[in-house]
Amino acid sequence: MTAWRLAPLYVAAAAFAIAVSLPGGDPDTYWHLASGKWMVDHGQLLRADVFSSTVNGAPYSVGEWLGELAIYGAYVLGGWAGIALLRATLIAVGAFFITRVALRSAPAPFALAVTALALGLSEISWTDRPQLFTFALFPLLLELLTAARAGRTRLLLAVPPLILVWTNLHGGYALGLALVAIFAAEAALTRRNVVPFAAAAVLAVAASFIDPGSLGLGAAAAHAASPPRFIVEEAPPDVLRPAGFVFALFGLATLGLALARGGTLLDALLLVPLFWLGLSAQRHMPYFALAATPYIAGGLSELWWRWRPSSRFALPRPAIVGIGVGLAAMVAASVATAPFAPIETQYPTAARAKLAATGGNLLNEYDWGGYLIWRVPERPVFIDGRLFLFLPDVLTEYEEMVFMRPGWRDQLDRHAIAQVLLRPDRPLAVALRDLGWTVVSQDATAVLLQRPSR
Amino acid sequence: MRPLLVVPLVLAGLAAFAATGAAVSDSDFFWHLAIGRDIAAHGPPRVDVYSWTVPGGAVLPDQWLGELMLYAAYAIGSWTGTIALRALTVGALIGIVVWTALAERPHRPFIAVMASLPAIAVSRFAWTDRPELFGLLCFAILVALLRAVRRGSFSPFALCVPLVLLWTNLHGSYALGLGLVLVVALERALADPSRRRGYAAVALACVLATFVTPAGIATWTSSGGHFLAPPRYVQEEGTPDVTSLPGLLFSIALLATLATAMLAPRARSRDVLFEIAVLVPVAFVSLTATRHLVFFPIAAAPFLSLWGPEAWNEGVRTLREAWGDVPQRVLPNVMRTRMNASRTRGSRAQRDPRPNAVEGGTREHAMPLGRLAANLAAGLVAIGMLIAGIATSPRDPDLSAFPIAALPQLPAGPGLLNRYEWGGFLIWYAPATPVFVDGRLFPYVGEPLDDYRAVIGLHPDWRQVLAKRGIRTVLVAPSDAIAVQGAALGWPILARTPEWVMLRVP
């Protein structure tokens, strides 16, 4: 065993240390937590909405039920620290396997450099949601399939159960199915290990149906084809911003290396569709970067050796040990000093007490719905991050009111809105003051307005 | 062998014909036209004369020649002249794109057309009456010149100098052209050291040519600022969306290029650095904004024409190696025939992997009479289609998107807050009423634009802005928050249609 064989472990440790020290506070974390809590409290799956005033009782997708239970379980066990540790563990798993995949294609310095960049890009999706399971399982599956393609076909036995678990954890399992299908297609086209790969693909598809949820492949495909653009993470990549720029670097490096040295059929089958997926929405960028990591690392190392054929990369054993000790210390220090409590300055914290003490229908800011579900459970929300539940009517009505489109007054009356909790610069918040609504609470983040009594 | 011009000419004629179908309606066209008229009368403008929010403020005459051309066409032929100029430019653009692709594979016009299709389709979204269209044409010409340089000829590279000079005065996209010239000069200097000084001289001359404009060095800062910080709230400056039609077409070109580069074995020839030098930077530029999407498909068309069939043949070869004659037995007759055809072409390509390699640096054959006649006939067809298109084109502009009925009631002098996209229309049709803001955008960046957004979007300080600016009338869409709130507050409605509303501020 060479010293570089420890590299995946080291990368995983570094990723863990960084991830655990990041503050939480994603708006969707709260409603996932609330969903998990409801399922535990009631001993059943959450099949209908219980959090909103607008779609109360409407059928509710349970496709991520296991992911939500896992997140709530971590919270029950360790509070916000438990969630941070779960997050860091899943990211470490992803980092470990993507490093292993990259090391199959390139020497460690190149593999580690490109992996680090890909992990840096993926930081945009390190939020406490079931999608973290996809972040961990995507590299794991890629490693399994790559190893199987290299000859260890028995590993394909693990694919169907992996897809089964993934399907119940997060909707990103569709990405896993796509990976399996791509490897199976390549096996079929090149007539190598056709039967094992085809069997794995068929069983994986079958396993994906063992899910009480309604989120099927069709829904996943529709989501990818027409993402809701007003949500930042669903917007197209902006290559003039840091994350988008790094994504563009991966895309252009792939194109440049393809021109310089070509690729295999598998490279084309894998990277071409994932590049499109990454271009379709910011949240998908990391998956292209992760999949392209081995290709780019391999290409760069090949070019390097053309230039410097006699290069040798080796680290002395004391350095290996020193790095390991340093990383262990870093992990310990990160866990000890991590700010586990979520940062809630972006939420209407000042209005919480007033909200809890009052009643009536509430019109709330979209981004604050999850926070309110968890922090002020006695007040049903108008809308929250569970988007698809509110499409199309509730979202349209929400926009009509908040952005003051014609008919906003009718909507406000139709929903019997008694209170409005919005950002102070929203047109509706500005207009309602002019129209005599009472300011119940206000700070730089939020204003809570009360309808005047008649 | 020199490629037949029949296909490029016929497609150019078809594109020109198609381009005449739409009436003049672009909102930015009108302020370009107004500036062109002023240039014809007084020379390139230095200060703003159309707004009451930045009157006398410095403006950049970086598109003066393009604006003058638009006005000249209008002065000669009214709106039909504008459409004729558009059709001519579009026809030239499409003809050059197809010709460039065909030049890489002269015997395969079908492949050249297929390789050009994404570029043709995406360019459709840029067929507007703006200097931008001239910039696009310059880009297509530059790609054609650079591909000719790749094939071993130096003189096309020297032609980049007058092209860049012209382009700099037409449109700000010249910066992309200059960047490409510099990168390719570097690449050629490495690939062809004997002409190193020539490439360096041309590159330097191109840089100097960009200063020969009334805008001077400011044209650099304008283009650079625009590229690095595009105003995302303007739709065409938004991030490219591959789920929209133009984005999808762009992604087809990008992904086809990537797949071709991966699979075509002989694409890794000695010219690989050239392809990287051209395609990678243009891909990045295309990814920066929706309006830039069109550049990459144009740059990629010749590459796809040259290497696309190679990639296909490689895929077929892989399949055949793996499955032997099984596909022959299983596939339907039609596919079997195609596979055999690609096998034949593949073996031909083995003998002659780079279709133009033998031509590099040599004199091309004299054109036989038959070819000349065919080209002439195609040219006549193209001209015929252009004339037919112009003859049947809409005679008047389509103003349905503009508040045309509000014109008689517009107050003269300052005080009107107008919607951003109607500014150009008002500049041309209501010169007595200066605008608050218009599509020229950059003169307004900062306080005027912030104030515009504060009022129209009903931000908390909207009343203060109204008072500070002395806004007396608002001409906005009925769905704008200020229109809804103004109506709620009882502001007098001066005029109203489903598309616009004019309110008097009490």
Side-chain angles (χ1 to χ4, degrees), chain A residues 48-59 381-382 384 386 389-391 394:
Chain A
D49 171 58
V50 292
F51 302 128
S52 84
S53 63
T54 45
V55 290
N56 197 278
V381 297
F382 188 93
D384 62 80
R386 295 171 300 161
L389 198 54
F390 301 99
L391 290 176
V394 176

PDB file of all heavy atoms in Angstrom, chain A residues 48-59 381-382 384 386 389-391 394:
ATOM      1  N   ALA A  48     -50.451  14.220   3.773  1.00  0.00           N
ATOM      2  CA  ALA A  48     -51.230  15.405   3.400  1.00  0.00           C
ATOM      3  C   ALA A  48     -50.656  16.606   4.138  1.00  0.00           C
ATOM      4  O   ALA A  48     -50.073  16.467   5.217  1.00  0.00           O
ATOM      5  CB  ALA A  48     -52.690  15.211   3.756  1.00  0.00           C
ATOM      6  N   ASP A  49     -50.855  17.774   3.548  1.00  0.00           N
ATOM      7  CA  ASP A  49     -50.296  18.968   4.167  1.00  0.00           C
ATOM      8  C   ASP A  49     -50.979  19.279   5.490  1.00  0.00           C
ATOM      9  O   ASP A  49     -52.201  19.219   5.602  1.00  0.00           O
ATOM     10  CB  ASP A  49     -50.476  20.157   3.221  1.00  0.00           C
ATOM     11  CG  ASP A  49     -50.121  21.455   3.910  1.00  0.00           C
ATOM     12  OD1 ASP A  49     -48.963  21.557   4.368  1.00  0.00           O
ATOM     13  OD2 ASP A  49     -50.986  22.335   4.029  1.00  0.00           O
ATOM     14  N   VAL A  50     -50.155  19.594   6.487  1.00  0.00           N
ATOM     15  CA  VAL A  50     -50.710  19.981   7.792  1.00  0.00           C
ATOM     16  C   VAL A  50     -50.134  21.311   8.257  1.00  0.00           C
ATOM     17  O   VAL A  50     -50.412  21.753   9.365  1.00  0.00           O
ATOM     18  CB  VAL A  50     -50.396  18.911   8.869  1.00  0.00           C
ATOM     19  CG1 VAL A  50     -51.147  17.626   8.577  1.00  0.00           C
ATOM     20  CG2 VAL A  50     -48.895  18.657   8.966  1.00  0.00           C
ATOM     21  N   PHE A  51     -49.333  21.952   7.402  1.00  0.00           N
ATOM     22  CA  PHE A  51     -48.625  23.152   7.856  1.00  0.00           C
ATOM     23  C   PHE A  51     -49.167  24.454   7.286  1.00  0.00           C
ATOM     24  O   PHE A  51     -48.797  25.521   7.752  1.00  0.00           O
ATOM     25  CB  PHE A  51     -47.133  23.052   7.479  1.00  0.00           C
ATOM     26  CG  PHE A  51     -46.444  21.844   8.058  1.00  0.00           C
ATOM     27  CD1 PHE A  51     -45.716  20.983   7.245  1.00  0.00           C
ATOM     28  CD2 PHE A  51     -46.523  21.571   9.412  1.00  0.00           C
ATOM     29  CE1 PHE A  51     -45.072  19.880   7.764  1.00  0.00           C
ATOM     30  CE2 PHE A  51     -45.882  20.455   9.942  1.00  0.00           C
ATOM     31  CZ  PHE A  51     -45.157  19.599   9.117  1.00  0.00           C
ATOM     32  N   SER A  52     -49.965  24.404   6.251  1.00  0.00           N
ATOM     33  CA  SER A  52     -50.357  25.654   5.591  1.00  0.00           C
ATOM     34  C   SER A  52     -51.845  25.928   5.750  1.00  0.00           C
ATOM     35  O   SER A  52     -52.633  25.024   6.052  1.00  0.00           O
ATOM     36  CB  SER A  52     -50.016  25.595   4.101  1.00  0.00           C
ATOM     37  OG  SER A  52     -51.039  24.936   3.395  1.00  0.00           O
ATOM     38  N   SER A  53     -52.205  27.179   5.533  1.00  0.00           N
ATOM     39  CA  SER A  53     -53.619  27.553   5.531  1.00  0.00           C
ATOM     40  C   SER A  53     -54.205  27.469   4.130  1.00  0.00           C
ATOM     41  O   SER A  53     -55.416  27.481   3.972  1.00  0.00           O
ATOM     42  CB  SER A  53     -53.771  28.982   6.050  1.00  0.00           C
ATOM     43  OG  SER A  53     -53.101  29.884   5.188  1.00  0.00           O
ATOM     44  N   THR A  54     -53.350  27.391   3.121  1.00  0.00           N
ATOM     45  CA  THR A  54     -53.824  27.475   1.739  1.00  0.00           C
ATOM     46  C   THR A  54     -54.100  26.115   1.108  1.00  0.00           C
ATOM     47  O   THR A  54     -55.006  25.993   0.288  1.00  0.00           O
ATOM     48  CB  THR A  54     -52.787  28.215   0.878  1.00  0.00           C
ATOM     49  OG1 THR A  54     -51.496  27.710   1.200  1.00  0.00           O
ATOM     50  CG2 THR A  54     -52.846  29.707   1.119  1.00  0.00           C
ATOM     51  N   VAL A  55     -53.293  25.109   1.433  1.00  0.00           N
ATOM     52  CA  VAL A  55     -53.483  23.790   0.804  1.00  0.00           C
ATOM     53  C   VAL A  55     -53.605  22.707   1.877  1.00  0.00           C
ATOM     54  O   VAL A  55     -53.230  21.562   1.663  1.00  0.00           O
ATOM     55  CB  VAL A  55     -52.314  23.448  -0.160  1.00  0.00           C
ATOM     56  CG1 VAL A  55     -52.354  24.322  -1.375  1.00  0.00           C
ATOM     57  CG2 VAL A  55     -50.979  23.551   0.543  1.00  0.00           C
ATOM     58  N   ASN A  56     -54.138  23.110   3.027  1.00  0.00           N
ATOM     59  CA  ASN A  56     -54.256  22.164   4.136  1.00  0.00           C
ATOM     60  C   ASN A  56     -55.040  20.930   3.714  1.00  0.00           C
ATOM     61  O   ASN A  56     -56.126  21.048   3.146  1.00  0.00           O
ATOM     62  CB  ASN A  56     -54.951  22.849   5.313  1.00  0.00           C
ATOM     63  CG  ASN A  56     -54.739  22.076   6.593  1.00  0.00           C
ATOM     64  OD1 ASN A  56     -55.450  21.109   6.842  1.00  0.00           O
ATOM     65  ND2 ASN A  56     -53.755  22.470   7.361  1.00  0.00           N
ATOM     66  N   GLY A  57     -54.462  19.757   3.964  1.00  0.00           N
ATOM     67  CA  GLY A  57     -55.124  18.500   3.613  1.00  0.00           C
ATOM     68  C   GLY A  57     -54.814  18.023   2.210  1.00  0.00           C
ATOM     69  O   GLY A  57     -55.202  16.917   1.843  1.00  0.00           O
ATOM     70  N   ALA A  58     -54.139  18.847   1.419  1.00  0.00           N
ATOM     71  CA  ALA A  58     -53.811  18.430   0.048  1.00  0.00           C
ATOM     72  C   ALA A  58     -52.769  17.308   0.087  1.00  0.00           C
ATOM     73  O   ALA A  58     -51.923  17.272   0.977  1.00  0.00           O
ATOM     74  CB  ALA A  58     -53.258  19.610  -0.731  1.00  0.00           C
ATOM     75  N   PRO A  59     -52.818  16.373  -0.876  1.00  0.00           N
ATOM     76  CA  PRO A  59     -51.852  15.255  -0.890  1.00  0.00           C
ATOM     77  C   PRO A  59     -50.421  15.780  -0.887  1.00  0.00           C
ATOM     78  O   PRO A  59     -50.110  16.770  -1.544  1.00  0.00           O
ATOM     79  CB  PRO A  59     -52.165  14.526  -2.195  1.00  0.00           C
ATOM     80  CG  PRO A  59     -53.550  14.912  -2.523  1.00  0.00           C
ATOM     81  CD  PRO A  59     -53.764  16.287  -1.990  1.00  0.00           C
ATOM     82  N   VAL A 381     -48.811  28.521   7.643  1.00  0.00           N
ATOM     83  CA  VAL A 381     -48.192  29.444   6.686  1.00  0.00           C
ATOM     84  C   VAL A 381     -49.055  29.566   5.438  1.00  0.00           C
ATOM     85  O   VAL A 381     -49.907  28.714   5.169  1.00  0.00           O
ATOM     86  CB  VAL A 381     -46.775  28.960   6.291  1.00  0.00           C
ATOM     87  CG1 VAL A 381     -45.860  28.955   7.498  1.00  0.00           C
ATOM     88  CG2 VAL A 381     -46.835  27.586   5.630  1.00  0.00           C
ATOM     89  N   PHE A 382     -48.804  30.638   4.681  1.00  0.00           N
ATOM     90  CA  PHE A 382     -49.473  30.795   3.383  1.00  0.00           C
ATOM     91  C   PHE A 382     -48.745  29.965   2.337  1.00  0.00           C
ATOM     92  O   PHE A 382     -49.351  29.310   1.502  1.00  0.00           O
ATOM     93  CB  PHE A 382     -49.471  32.274   2.972  1.00  0.00           C
ATOM     94  CG  PHE A 382     -50.300  32.560   1.757  1.00  0.00           C
ATOM     95  CD1 PHE A 382     -51.625  32.959   1.869  1.00  0.00           C
ATOM     96  CD2 PHE A 382     -49.767  32.429   0.474  1.00  0.00           C
ATOM     97  CE1 PHE A 382     -52.405  33.216   0.752  1.00  0.00           C
ATOM     98  CE2 PHE A 382     -50.537  32.678  -0.656  1.00  0.00           C
ATOM     99  CZ  PHE A 382     -51.866  33.076  -0.521  1.00  0.00           C
ATOM    100  N   ASP A 384     -44.557  27.983   1.557  1.00  0.00           N
ATOM    101  CA  ASP A 384     -43.208  27.684   2.056  1.00  0.00           C
ATOM    102  C   ASP A 384     -42.431  26.949   0.977  1.00  0.00           C
ATOM    103  O   ASP A 384     -42.910  26.832  -0.159  1.00  0.00           O
ATOM    104  CB  ASP A 384     -43.280  26.862   3.356  1.00  0.00           C
ATOM    105  CG  ASP A 384     -43.944  25.514   3.159  1.00  0.00           C
ATOM    106  OD1 ASP A 384     -43.268  24.597   2.684  1.00  0.00           O
ATOM    107  OD2 ASP A 384     -45.148  25.370   3.472  1.00  0.00           O
ATOM    108  N   ARG A 386     -41.910  24.053   0.117  1.00  0.00           N
ATOM    109  CA  ARG A 386     -42.391  22.813  -0.497  1.00  0.00           C
ATOM    110  C   ARG A 386     -43.061  23.127  -1.834  1.00  0.00           C
ATOM    111  O   ARG A 386     -44.010  22.487  -2.241  1.00  0.00           O
ATOM    112  CB  ARG A 386     -43.369  22.115   0.451  1.00  0.00           C
ATOM    113  CG  ARG A 386     -42.733  21.629   1.739  1.00  0.00           C
ATOM    114  CD  ARG A 386     -43.780  21.152   2.711  1.00  0.00           C
ATOM    115  NE  ARG A 386     -44.712  22.226   3.060  1.00  0.00           N
ATOM    116  CZ  ARG A 386     -45.913  22.041   3.586  1.00  0.00           C
ATOM    117  NH1 ARG A 386     -46.341  20.819   3.834  1.00  0.00           N
ATOM    118  NH2 ARG A 386     -46.694  23.073   3.882  1.00  0.00           N
ATOM    119  N   LEU A 389     -46.270  21.785  -3.871  1.00  0.00           N
ATOM    120  CA  LEU A 389     -47.572  21.745  -3.206  1.00  0.00           C
ATOM    121  C   LEU A 389     -48.390  22.994  -3.541  1.00  0.00           C
ATOM    122  O   LEU A 389     -49.611  22.975  -3.516  1.00  0.00           O
ATOM    123  CB  LEU A 389     -47.306  21.670  -1.695  1.00  0.00           C
ATOM    124  CG  LEU A 389     -48.387  21.214  -0.737  1.00  0.00           C
ATOM    125  CD1 LEU A 389     -48.954  19.880  -1.139  1.00  0.00           C
ATOM    126  CD2 LEU A 389     -47.796  21.131   0.669  1.00  0.00           C
ATOM    127  N   PHE A 390     -47.708  24.068  -3.868  1.00  0.00           N
ATOM    128  CA  PHE A 390     -48.388  25.361  -4.036  1.00  0.00           C
ATOM    129  C   PHE A 390     -48.538  25.762  -5.505  1.00  0.00           C
ATOM    130  O   PHE A 390     -49.005  26.850  -5.796  1.00  0.00           O
ATOM    131  CB  PHE A 390     -47.612  26.445  -3.283  1.00  0.00           C
ATOM    132  CG  PHE A 390     -47.481  26.154  -1.823  1.00  0.00           C
ATOM    133  CD1 PHE A 390     -46.316  25.596  -1.304  1.00  0.00           C
ATOM    134  CD2 PHE A 390     -48.533  26.399  -0.955  1.00  0.00           C
ATOM    135  CE1 PHE A 390     -46.198  25.311   0.050  1.00  0.00           C
ATOM    136  CE2 PHE A 390     -48.417  26.111   0.399  1.00  0.00           C
ATOM    137  CZ  PHE A 390     -47.252  25.560   0.902  1.00  0.00           C
ATOM    138  N   LEU A 391     -48.103  24.897  -6.389  1.00  0.00           N
ATOM    139  CA  LEU A 391     -48.187  25.218  -7.819  1.00  0.00           C
ATOM    140  C   LEU A 391     -49.518  24.745  -8.396  1.00  0.00           C
ATOM    141  O   LEU A 391     -49.992  23.674  -8.035  1.00  0.00           O
ATOM    142  CB  LEU A 391     -47.051  24.547  -8.593  1.00  0.00           C
ATOM    143  CG  LEU A 391     -45.652  25.096  -8.336  1.00  0.00           C
ATOM    144  CD1 LEU A 391     -44.627  24.256  -9.103  1.00  0.00           C
ATOM    145  CD2 LEU A 391     -45.521  26.535  -8.716  1.00  0.00           C
ATOM    146  N   VAL A 394     -51.586  28.825  -5.768  1.00  0.00           N
ATOM    147  CA  VAL A 394     -51.194  29.569  -4.564  1.00  0.00           C
ATOM    148  C   VAL A 394     -49.980  30.455  -4.853  1.00  0.00           C
ATOM    149  O   VAL A 394     -49.932  31.615  -4.421  1.00  0.00           O
ATOM    150  CB  VAL A 394     -50.903  28.588  -3.406  1.00  0.00           C
ATOM    151  CG1 VAL A 394     -50.398  29.337  -2.190  1.00  0.00           C
ATOM    152  CG2 VAL A 394     -52.150  27.802  -3.061  1.00  0.00           C
TER     153      VAL A 394
END
